[in-house]
Amino acid sequence: MNWNDKLPLIAILRGITPGEVLEHVAVLLAEGFDAVEIPLNSPNWQESIGKTVQAYGDRALIGGGTVLKPAQVDELAWLGGKLLVTPNIQPEVIRRAVSHGMTVCPGCATATEAFTALDAGAGALKIFPSVSFGPDYIKALKAVLPPEIPVFAVGGITPQNLHLYLKAGCIGAGLGGDLYRAGQPVNRTREQAAAFVAAYRAATRAR
């Protein structure tokens, strides 16, 4: 996945249900999103991911988050998922996802975790929880990472603070509760998606 050719904002739809997922993903894609993560601790995640891949897999990078075990990687691959996001560093999970040709974005907090993930084959990293560390920490961590590795800020990112993390060296962000909360109406998803896209474009134009 060449994130430079895409909008590097990952929509995290934690808690979404199969009955509503397609409607929410449709408005995300309409607003310009290219990547959607459905965490595996969401209700009936297999059905949600399968439906979303079938409907939109040719238009966006669709996959799962909160992936903890190699067996879950295999199940996600069987469903057609192309994106895999983890909250932690589990080398075997990363290696299994790479073997399936997935775009892998594991969660890390330290240089040790980051390099462990890269050694296992990860092609991108998410710093989690970013809001707890802050942009200055991420800037310092970026200084020791290979410059070609995309880094995403995840955890507490809002349209108001996104620019701070982009300035610190993140290519983009994973967007959770400030984009989607379980049960919210589709119009709220559309409004927040538009706000994040506008914030990203304003921040990158200002560089």
Side-chain angles (χ1 to χ4, degrees), residues 190-201:
R190 180 184 292 109
E191 290 168 2
Q192 289 304 99
F196 272 111
V197 171
Y200 173 80
R201 289 177 176 161

Side-chain angles (χ1 to χ4, degrees), residues 12-18 20 38-39 41-43 48 180-183:
I12 303 170
L13 304 182
R14 190 177 305 280
I16 201 153
T17 64
E20 62 185 338
I38 298 173
N41 55 3
S42 302
S48 290
Y180 174 82
R181 292 183 185 274

Side-chain angles (χ1 to χ4, degrees), residues 96-122:
R96 187 72 61 87
V98 170
S99 75
H100 285 297
M102 294 178 175
T103 295
V104 187
C105 190
C108 62
T110 67
T112 297
E113 292 175 342
F115 282 102
T116 299
L118 296 178
D119 287 345

Side-chain angles (χ1 to χ4, degrees), residues 174-191:
L175 311 173
D178 278 278
L179 174 66
Y180 174 82
R181 292 183 185 274
Q184 76 180 25
V186 173
N187 282 344
R188 174 65 177 172
T189 302
R190 180 184 292 109
E191 290 168 2

